[in-house]
Amino acid sequence: MALNHNLRLALSNCNRILSRKSNIFETPFLFGCSEVINIRQKKVWIRPPRVKYPLWFLQKERAEYIENLTRNNKAFIEEVVHDQCGAPAVKSGIETYNTPLKIEPLQPLEITTSSKRTGLIGKIIGQYPLWMKNGEKCRTTLVQVVDNHIIKYIPPEEFKPNRKPYRGEPKRKLGCLLVGAESGDPSLYTKEYCGLFKNSGVPPKKKLCRFIITPDAMLPPGTPLTAAHFRPREFLDVRGLTVDRGFQGVMKRWGFKGMPATHGVTKSHRRGGCIASGAGKARVYPGKKMPGHMGNRWRIAKGTEVLRINTTEPMMPQRCWLNQSSSLVVRAPL
Amino acid sequence: MLSCISRVHRSTRLNSLTILRNLSKNSPLQFENAENGEKKLSIPQENRFMYQEFLPDPELKFRNQVREKLERSDMIKRRSVIDIPSFFVGSILSVTSADKHDPNKTRKFVGICIQKRYCGLRHEFVLRNVVDNLGIEIAYDMYDPTIHNITVLRLEKRLDDDLLYLRDALPQYSTFPFDMEPEYLLDGAPVPINDIKVKLKPRPWVGRWERKGYKGIDDVDQHITEKMKGQKKKLEEPWEKYDLMKEYRRTIPEEEQEEIFSEVFSELHQLSLSNKKLKKSRVYVKPKKTG
């Protein structure tokens, strides 16, 4: 037991070391491989934790404390923020900053059928009726794309997905783009979090997301992304939170039929009935459909169709069923 | 609002053609002298009734400024294609729409508007008529592109906000001939209010009409039992009209209404003017006798 305890200690120590590292991609060898540590003059193989936190998993909001700022101090801070991020602006109903572009004009990319482009971060802003060419009415979901910028590109050599590497693994071909949406006030976030955005020349974003791409679809940091990234008649995968329905019974959660209303049925009209048999294994099989919490989970609505794109107010109506309150991740199918 | 409209008493007999009415009811424009001497369009107060669907749903959960703006621009785009006249619950309309099952590919329906519901682009109106002793109701989307034509045959208001009780009224109150001719109002005349009291059929009914406090029903109490009368009295909420918060949540504030109409009014006004011109220039073709 003592050894076990020591092991755990070592592990926790290991964790601390990892979290102190600023860029975990610079030390790829540390991850996924076992380490030899001396414990009481014995060599012990210790497996590091499998969970690898990506570089943007940082403390975001800073602690709130009383700063006793004078009016002049506040004005000075605002001035500094505006110098860094540009003048405050309201873009399609959302408060952000009018950051000037710091990148050179882009050359059009050569995209092939095998290349994977980046996705966007959007927001559902309501339902919208549309009529198709054949006169059919179609209920669509409006997705607003607000102030998306590319924050960082991680090439395939540095990009390690979250799993254990194995010997003879083929060369990695996919890189990763970090995309942020909705600029925020840098004085509200921590120093580490603001440091993420230093190279892109963009104020810290409220929402960050990772998109796995092929290197030919790479875009330099600081590139603004709009709804014009997609076209009508494209089919997208949309990831978001489903509607939170709370603790639900078996009929609503799994679509069970329930039991009859009459014919001697008492107190079990909406019950699931028998959950297992006593004859075979005499236990409840794992994964049995039972009552419980329903909704509020991350789900992907695959193959939602883009019906229309508005570029002046960047948004796209599409067929979708995700929750209105959550922000969405939209990308072309993998 | 009621005070500004003089009531026109009509004989209770239907099909009486005593009053001439105007199809495109546009009050004359007023100009306000601004401080710098420029002429500024003042937005008529009746807009909130005429263009009711331009006001968004007051429920805060469904509000989004960007979406509302987009909806309004789409509505105006649709209005620039066809002339959508303003009408009220109780007006009699004829609607021609595309129907792929019809041999002529179009279908004309005439009926009384018994309900107007939903806001923005999804605004609907329900028409009711009795054809071959069978009550028919069709809900039309106002901004549906399959609608070819909307004509107001008789422009008038009723005493209630919806006329759903016509479902349980005698069929004569919702029977209208399909070849009904439009009646015209004088230019600038107020919209007449038809204060007809409808006689209901004996129970059972589709709804609990006695509880809703409709003004357009003739003596509800003669149909209902003593117990129902007691229930009706129990459920009455006469204090509701003094509930300011309820009123506030139910409606869009006046300042916001002004903001919305100032955005769309100039385009709406131009559209109505151009529609008026078109109507005048249309050549009347006398129908030929056949058979």
Side-chain angles (χ1 to χ4, degrees):
Chain A
M1 281 309 287
L3 186 126
N4 215 345
H5 175 69
N6 275 338
L7 250 173
R8 227 175 282 152
L9 259 179
L11 267 177
S12 64
N13 205 12
C14 183
N15 250 336
R16 221 173 295 153
I17 294 161
L18 299 188
S19 60
R20 243 182 266 149
K21 290 275 177 193
S22 61
N23 189 353
I24 55 164
F25 295 101
E26 287 165 6
T27 55
F29 190 69
L30 217 125
F31 293 89
C33 304
S34 307
E35 257 188 297
V36 185
I37 292 176
N38 277 326
I39 295 174
R40 289 187 195 164
Q41 292 85 42
K42 278 184 186 173
K43 279 189 175 177
V44 180
W45 287 82
I46 290 180
R47 272 188 95 160
R50 283 198 180 177
V51 181
K52 290 181 290 178
Y53 294 110
L55 83 161
W56 54 91
F57 271 38
L58 299 169
Q59 178 71 34
K60 194 169 162 190
E61 276 93 20
R62 67 173 175 80
E64 283 182 20
Y65 49 87
I66 305 157
E67 288 167 312
N68 293 328
L69 290 176
T70 62
R71 201 177 290 166
N72 288 345
N73 289 347
K74 274 182 191 169
F76 176 70
I77 289 174
E78 259 183 36
E79 204 178 292
V80 172
V81 168
H82 293 171
D83 278 353
Q84 283 179 359
C85 315
V90 179
K91 283 182 189 172
S92 49
I94 287 168
E95 285 182 11
T96 54
Y97 293 95
N98 220 346
T99 321
L101 269 183
K102 284 172 189 168
I103 56 159
E104 291 160 16
L106 288 173
Q107 296 300 318
L109 298 172
E110 279 183 25
I111 301 277
T112 56
T113 47
S114 61
S115 56
K116 268 182 181 180
R117 294 195 305 153
T118 176
L120 299 177
I121 303 170
K123 207 173 191 182
I124 292 184
I125 56 168
Q127 303 285 320
Y128 205 82
L130 281 185
W131 284 269
M132 314 298 280
K133 274 270 167 78
N134 57 358
E136 254 176 44
K137 191 184 176 185
C138 175
R139 213 185 73 170
T140 61
T141 306
L142 263 187
V143 176
Q144 189 184 11
V145 178
V146 192
D147 217 18
N148 280 17
H149 279 94
I150 285 173
I151 307 300
K152 197 182 170 71
Y153 172 65
I154 300 161
E157 305 83 56
E158 292 172 25
F159 175 56
K160 298 272 173 187
N162 190 4
R163 65 181 164 81
K164 193 186 164 193
Y166 55 92
R167 202 187 286 170
E169 196 179 23
K171 202 183 161 193
R172 291 178 199 285
K173 288 173 186 170
L174 298 177
C176 158
L177 271 183
L178 194 60
V179 177
E182 278 187 63
S183 304
D185 186 358
S187 63
L188 298 177
Y189 299 110
T190 57
K191 208 174 170 185
E192 304 96 271
Y193 190 72
C194 291
L196 277 176
F197 304 88
K198 219 170 187 179
N199 293 335
S200 56
V202 175
K205 295 286 185 180
K206 289 176 189 166
K207 190 87 191 166
L208 276 182
C209 238
R210 176 195 79 166
F211 293 100
I212 297 173
I213 56 154
T214 47
D216 60 347
M218 177 269 196
L219 292 166
T223 315
L225 295 170
T226 59
H229 188 66
F230 297 121
R231 280 174 296 176
R233 291 293 293 158
E234 266 186 349
F235 291 87
L236 308 178
D237 290 352
V238 185
R239 186 167 179 267
L241 276 177
T242 53
V243 180
D244 191 358
R245 289 173 206 275
F247 194 98
Q248 288 300 333
V250 114
M251 279 176 75
K252 189 162 193 172
R253 195 176 179 213
W254 298 110
F256 281 21
K257 205 174 177 184
M259 280 183 226
T262 54
H263 287 59
V265 179
T266 53
K267 300 180 198 169
S268 56
H269 305 291
R270 297 181 63 86
R271 280 199 184 179
C274 178
I275 58 168
S277 74
K281 290 248 178 182
R283 65 183 169 92
V284 180
Y285 281 103
K288 176 72 201 138
K289 288 171 181 170
M290 285 205 275
H293 194 279
M294 183 179 172
N296 198 20
R297 282 155 200 264
W298 289 97
R299 288 285 179 271
I300 300 173
K302 286 197 174 179
T304 57
E305 189 186 357
V306 182
L307 297 173
R308 184 178 148 186
I309 279 177
N310 192 337
T311 43
T312 48
E313 299 284 357
M315 66 191 67
M316 21 187 201
Q318 50 180 263
R319 290 165 171 157
C320 190
W321 37 260
L322 289 162
N323 193 357
Q324 186 162 352
S325 59
S326 69
S327 56
L328 296 177
V329 179
V330 187
R331 73 162 299 157
L334 307 174
Chain B
M1 187 260 151
L2 284 172
S3 61
C4 71
I5 293 168
S6 59
R7 285 195 177 184
V8 182
H9 288 275
R10 292 174 48 92
S11 60
T12 47
R13 231 182 52 198
L14 291 165
N15 300 339
S16 62
L17 306 166
T18 46
I19 302 149
L20 288 174
R21 291 176 187 83
N22 184 20
L23 274 183
S24 54
K25 200 206 77 60
N26 291 310
S27 60
L29 265 186
Q30 297 145 13
F31 287 94
E32 260 177 16
N33 277 326
E35 282 177 11
N36 47 6
E38 280 178 28
K39 276 191 170 180
K40 207 177 149 191
L41 273 179
S42 76
I43 297 154
Q45 287 280 301
E46 292 144 12
N47 262 353
R48 67 180 78 166
F49 307 109
M50 284 166 64
Y51 303 113
Q52 181 195 349
E53 70 272 10
F54 277 87
L55 298 177
D57 194 338
E59 181 76 42
L60 265 180
K61 207 163 68 176
F62 305 130
R63 294 293 302 271
N64 183 294
Q65 278 199 344
V66 180
R67 198 201 67 238
E68 283 160 19
K69 215 173 177 182
L70 195 74
E71 263 181 67
R72 265 178 255 135
S73 75
D74 274 3
M75 283 153 80
I76 286 179
K77 270 178 202 162
R78 180 65 193 148
R79 273 173 183 269
S80 65
V81 178
I82 72 161
D83 175 23
I84 298 176
S86 61
F87 58 91
F88 306 91
V89 168
S91 305
I92 297 157
L93 311 175
S94 86
V95 175
T96 318
S97 61
D99 184 4
K100 64 179 176 183
H101 302 297
D102 198 279
N104 299 331
K105 301 292 175 198
T106 54
R107 178 181 61 191
K108 190 188 169 194
F109 188 73
V110 173
I112 184 169
C113 175
I114 61 166
Q115 200 182 18
K116 291 182 87 179
R117 58 190 180 194
Y118 307 141
C119 310
L121 209 53
R122 68 194 69 202
H123 186 68
E124 272 182 17
F125 57 92
V126 183
L127 295 190
R128 180 182 166 83
N129 201 345
V130 175
V131 182
D132 293 345
N133 298 323
L134 183 72
I136 292 177
E137 282 175 19
I138 300 182
Y140 286 102
D141 286 308
M142 201 180 228
Y143 294 93
D144 191 346
T146 55
I147 289 181
H148 292 176
N149 184 25
I150 302 175
T151 318
V152 181
L153 301 178
R154 185 188 295 164
L155 186 76
E156 63 183 11
K157 286 180 185 176
R158 290 288 191 106
L159 297 174
D160 300 308
D161 290 339
D162 63 68
L163 305 176
L164 295 177
Y165 54 79
L166 285 184
R167 291 166 180 172
D168 286 319
L170 297 174
Q172 74 203 54
Y173 293 107
S174 42
T175 313
F176 302 96
F178 269 59
D179 53 354
M180 200 171 153
E181 289 207 354
E183 301 166 19
Y184 293 97
L185 268 179
L186 288 175
D187 211 2
V191 183
I193 294 180
N194 187 354
D195 57 354
I196 185 175
K197 297 261 184 185
V198 165
K199 276 179 189 163
L200 294 187
K201 281 191 259 183
R203 279 177 43 237
W205 292 334
V206 180
R208 296 281 200 132
W209 310 125
E210 80 278 3
R211 288 184 183 179
K212 306 274 173 64
Y214 285 115
K215 287 173 196 163
I217 301 178
D218 184 30
D219 197 15
V220 200
D221 289 353
Q222 69 174 5
H223 296 289
I224 57 179
T225 59
E226 284 301 314
K227 190 185 171 190
M228 285 166 84
K229 278 174 198 169
Q231 282 172 341
K232 178 192 162 190
K233 203 162 189 190
K234 208 175 159 190
L235 290 166
E236 264 175 7
E237 288 176 331
W239 58 85
E240 211 172 49
K241 60 184 171 185
Y242 304 111
D243 195 341
L244 290 179
M245 267 328 280
K246 204 164 193 176
E247 183 71 12
Y248 179 74
R249 290 195 196 106
R250 206 171 53 77
T251 51
I252 301 282
E254 204 178 336
E255 297 83 36
E256 263 182 68
Q257 288 191 16
E258 268 179 25
E259 212 173 277
I260 289 165
F261 281 123
S262 63
E263 185 192 309
V264 290
F265 177 65
S266 61
E267 288 166 66
L268 280 177
H269 180 63
Q270 275 187 350
L271 278 177
S272 68
L273 283 184
S274 63
N275 283 332
K276 230 180 188 177
K277 270 184 195 170
L278 266 178
K279 212 169 270 168
K280 276 181 188 169
S281 65
R282 240 173 248 155
V283 187
Y284 179 72
V285 182
K286 209 177 178 184
K288 283 175 190 173
K289 274 188 179 177
T290 49

